[in-house]
Amino acid sequence: MEGRLEFDRNHVSMAFKRAQFVLYDVKYLLGSLPTTFDDDLRKGFLHGLSLMLNLLVMMQGMDSVVRQLIEPVLCTMAMIAQVHAGMWRRNGFALLNQLYFYHNVKCRTEMFDRDVVMLQIGASLIESNEFMIHVLNKFNLLDWAAADFEQKPIEDDTLRHTISMVEEFLGLLITVVGSRYVPGVGEVCNEERTKKEIIQMLCVKPMPHSELNRALPEDQLHETGLEAVIHEVADFVKPSSGNNRGVYKLKPHLFDDYDTFFYHYTREELSRSEEEQRNRRKSAGK
């Protein structure tokens, strides 16, 4: 159809390569901020924006499978859920190592966090029922969602795997719907996102400066932003003896911001945070 972008799937054509090179050039230009804006630069920017809008118009109506950007992300999330359900035990430590780095604080900004944002974008663009069915299908839970699921005979291992997959599925939905402390997704800035991370980490336990700094992601300048906000959310407790280290404790009124479903928690951190909150409430007589 005239006005549509069409590329051959069977081989990489020169036209597609040229399109890729153009996008690489645009990516470089967008990352190079000018020191001043003059009239020629403004006109060039508006012209480029107009061309980009024309490109987006041409992309409308392309093959829906090609445009389904959430497909690889859902495959990844489903595989992670299967690993947690114990369905990949024969694959050794190679897969576990990949998942470790996928969620590790040093890598997750460009891996796990990007995938979550991609799912949020997809969920906002796709009709809600279609999105839910798509996720259920990837998690192999369409039978579980059926009305007669409880009437069917199910083996113990299958039931155990299904229960675990349902937990992972619901956790993913909570993350997609509720995780908004990302600039561009929620109405927050980088400082507010850093505060959110610090609050949730200190809900696990009080931490010394070095450990807390390691628990935060770094920006392009290898800075975590800890120093700029730490005194707004935590109090420093000096060491009681020479062998101990001083630690930061969360300000008491911020314990109400504890998020049981914080998506950066590991399973161990989630368990410890829940225990910490129970002990704190018990000590307070609540």
Side-chain angles (χ1 to χ4, degrees):
M1 182 180 297
E2 185 178 356
R4 299 281 176 83
L5 297 179
E6 296 182 0
F7 300 108
D8 192 342
R9 298 185 187 181
N10 297 324
H11 68 280
V12 180
S13 65
M14 289 304 299
F16 186 69
K17 283 187 175 181
R18 285 196 296 271
Q20 284 183 307
F21 295 150
V22 171
L23 291 177
Y24 288 143
D25 291 340
V26 171
K27 178 182 178 182
Y28 171 76
L29 292 174
L30 290 176
S32 303
L33 298 178
T35 55
T36 58
F37 276 91
D38 54 25
D39 289 339
D40 291 337
L41 190 57
R42 291 188 183 93
K43 292 178 182 178
F45 174 80
L46 293 175
H47 178 66
L49 178 61
S50 176
L51 294 178
M52 177 61 72
L53 293 176
N54 290 336
L55 174 63
L56 294 177
V57 169
M58 288 188 288
M59 289 176 66
Q60 288 294 326
M62 290 177 67
D63 188 340
S64 60
V65 176
V66 177
R67 293 172 55 215
Q68 188 58 271
L69 300 179
I70 67 171
E71 185 73 16
V73 179
L74 279 182
C75 290
T76 300
M77 296 299 181
M79 182 193 68
I80 293 172
Q82 291 169 356
V83 172
H84 291 163
M87 301 167 66
W88 287 73
R89 291 181 178 177
R90 296 183 180 180
N91 293 78
F93 291 101
L95 182 57
L96 294 178
N97 288 336
Q98 293 182 47
L99 297 189
Y100 169 79
F101 286 109
Y102 181 74
H103 290 97
N104 184 268
V105 65
K106 298 298 183 183
C107 306
R108 71 180 181 218
T109 301
E110 297 298 329
M111 300 172 73
F112 177 54
D113 290 357
R114 297 284 189 191
D115 284 350
V116 170
V117 172
M118 183 65 72
L119 283 179
Q120 291 174 325
I121 294 173
S124 68
L125 296 176
I126 301 173
E127 197 275 328
S128 57
N129 289 325
E130 181 182 349
F131 178 79
M132 287 289 292
I133 293 173
H134 198 49
V135 179
L136 284 169
N137 180 54
K138 283 299 175 185
F139 277 66
N140 197 25
L141 291 175
L142 289 177
D143 289 340
W144 168 79
D148 60 345
F149 173 77
E150 295 183 354
Q151 280 71 46
K152 297 179 180 179
I154 304 175
E155 297 181 358
D156 290 342
D157 286 345
T158 302
L159 180 60
R160 184 171 62 253
H161 291 158
T162 300
I163 292 174
S164 180
M165 292 295 290
V166 170
E167 291 177 351
E168 296 287 336
F169 163 73
L170 295 176
L172 179 61
L173 289 186
I174 292 172
T175 297
V176 171
V177 174
S179 298
R180 290 290 184 266
Y181 272 83
V182 178
V185 176
E187 295 181 354
V188 296
C189 60
N190 286 322
E191 288 76 12
E192 290 172 311
R193 175 172 60 175
T194 303
K195 288 180 185 178
K196 173 74 171 180
E197 295 279 346
I198 294 174
I199 289 172
Q200 302 311 316
M201 288 297 103
L202 292 181
C203 282
V204 178
K205 64 175 182 178
M207 292 184 178
H209 183 278
S210 58
E211 184 178 355
L212 185 57
N213 198 56
R214 288 195 301 268
L216 299 175
E218 296 179 348
D219 59 16
Q220 294 86 344
L221 301 177
H222 303 290
E223 297 288 342
T224 62
L226 173 65
E227 303 295 343
V229 299
I230 183 61
H231 297 294
E232 299 180 34
V233 297
D235 297 317
F236 183 73
V237 180
K238 295 182 179 180
S240 57
S241 64
N243 296 328
N244 296 330
R245 293 183 295 175
V247 296
Y248 283 105
K249 286 189 175 182
L250 188 65
K251 291 182 181 293
H253 69 279
L254 292 176
F255 279 108
D256 292 337
D257 293 338
Y258 169 62
D259 184 359
T260 310
F261 302 102
F262 185 54
Y263 70 122
H264 285 162
Y265 277 154
T266 64
R267 289 193 166 189
E268 293 77 12
E269 289 171 341
L270 174 59
S271 178
R272 293 184 64 177
S273 68
E274 291 176 341
E275 183 179 359
E276 180 73 15
Q277 302 316 304
R278 285 194 296 267
N279 293 337
R280 184 182 63 83
R281 290 176 177 272
K282 185 177 180 180
S283 299
K286 295 182 179 180

